[in-house]
């Protein structure tokens, strides 16, 4: 498991836990949405916080899919919230995923990049407050150089490079201790995860 320090808010559970479960997600992917909901309702309360409290951590990895027109804007916003309000990152994802269809290809096709970024920041306001939303919007503004991206572009590049070097193609993709687990489904519930951990957790 490797993670640059600025992305530490994407870790759920103790950073030093011996086992790592990684989820590569696209914000506008319906299967990522379903899988993320399972993290919050099944994995986090029952396994991360209870049964395997000191043995297991989750890393959420960002994997924008380029065929979705608004995908990288969504991930920029998530990274901006992670920088400005790291303590509220998961709460932002909790409110962003339920409305992710707003940023599907057809709904987003009539919006400019500036409008998309504005909408994404506004979704965060009930979670992080108006002052920190203003800081998020500043991070999502273009740099002065014509092709330099925004303030969180380097974190986005890092996330994409991690996906590429691990040959991650679909979202969600799940890794256990660095190895892809093809059998894991976004529909898994308590029973499937219990069976998985019973077979995998050894320390």
């Amino acid at each position: 498991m490797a993670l640059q320090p600025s992305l530490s808010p994407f870790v759920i559970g103790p950073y030093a836990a011996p086992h790592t479960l990684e989820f590569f997600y696209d914000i506008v992917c319906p299967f990522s949405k379903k899988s993320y909901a399972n993290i919050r309702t099944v994995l986090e309360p029952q396994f991360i916080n209870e049964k395997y409290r000191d043995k297991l951590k989750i890393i959420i990895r960002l994997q924008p899919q380029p065929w979705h027109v608004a995908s990288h804007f969504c991930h920029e916003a998530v990274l901006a919230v992670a920088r400005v309000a790291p303590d509220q990152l998961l709460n932002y994802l909790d409110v962003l995923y339920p409305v992710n269809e707003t940023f599907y290809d057809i709904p987003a096709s009539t919006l400019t990049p500036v409008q998309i970024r504005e909408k994404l920041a506004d979704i965060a306001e009930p979670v992080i407050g108006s002052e920190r939303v203003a800081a998020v919007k500043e991070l999502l503004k273009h740099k002065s150089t014509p092709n330099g991206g925004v303030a969180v572009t380097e974190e986005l590049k890092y996330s994409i490079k991690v996906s590429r070097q691990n040959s991650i193609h679909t979202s969600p993709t799940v890794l256990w201790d660095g190895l892809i687990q093809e059998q894991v489904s976004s529909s898994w519930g308590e029973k499937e995860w219990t069976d998985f951990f019973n077979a995998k957790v050894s320390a």
Side-chain angles (χ1 to χ4, degrees):
M1 185 279 295
L3 191 71
Q4 72 178 35
S6 65
L7 298 181
S8 60
F10 291 86
V11 178
I12 303 173
Y15 197 88
H19 293 291
T20 304
L21 191 62
E22 299 174 72
F23 291 84
F24 286 77
Y25 284 157
D26 181 355
I27 298 300
V28 294
C29 167
F31 300 104
S32 294
K33 175 181 180 178
K34 190 174 186 180
S35 177
Y36 174 76
N38 283 334
I39 285 180
R40 295 292 267 167
T41 60
V42 177
L43 286 173
E44 187 178 1
Q46 297 180 46
F47 297 100
I48 298 294
N49 294 337
E50 293 295 334
K51 189 171 183 181
Y52 299 112
R53 180 186 297 271
D54 299 318
K55 298 180 178 181
L56 174 63
K57 65 180 170 294
I58 289 173
I59 299 177
I60 295 175
R61 302 277 194 180
L62 302 182
Q63 190 201 15
Q65 302 285 25
W67 47 84
H68 295 311
V69 65
S71 182
H72 83 272
F73 300 124
C74 293
H75 293 84
E76 286 175 346
V78 170
L79 289 165
V81 170
R83 185 184 296 188
V84 170
D87 58 315
Q88 296 298 321
L89 172 62
L90 296 180
N91 291 328
Y92 177 54
L93 290 174
D94 288 344
V95 297
L96 178 58
Y97 263 120
V99 297
N100 73 340
E101 292 183 17
T102 305
F103 305 102
Y104 280 12
D105 295 349
I106 291 177
S109 66
T110 59
L111 301 173
T112 69
V114 171
Q115 289 172 324
I116 293 172
R117 290 183 172 113
E118 188 81 12
K119 280 181 173 289
L120 287 160
D122 289 342
I123 290 168
E125 185 164 2
V127 176
I128 67 174
S130 57
E131 288 188 12
R132 290 199 285 184
V133 163
V136 166
K137 290 181 178 181
E138 282 298 314
L139 293 178
L140 297 179
K141 289 182 178 178
H142 284 115
K143 296 178 181 177
S144 57
T145 52
N147 207 28
V150 299
V152 294
T153 295
E154 290 307 311
E155 283 96 338
L156 185 62
K157 287 181 179 179
Y158 171 87
S159 298
I160 293 169
K161 288 174 182 178
V162 168
S163 293
R164 288 176 175 173
Q165 76 172 16
N166 284 286
S167 299
I168 306 298
H169 299 292
T170 61
S171 57
T173 293
V174 179
L175 277 64
W176 174 261
D177 290 346
L179 298 179
I180 293 175
Q181 304 296 302
E182 298 283 3
Q183 76 276 27
V184 175
S185 168
S186 58
S187 298
W188 274 17
E190 181 180 358
K191 180 186 182 303
E192 292 83 2
W193 281 115
T194 296
D195 292 344
F196 180 87
F197 292 134
N198 284 344
K200 295 287 188 182
V201 176
S202 59

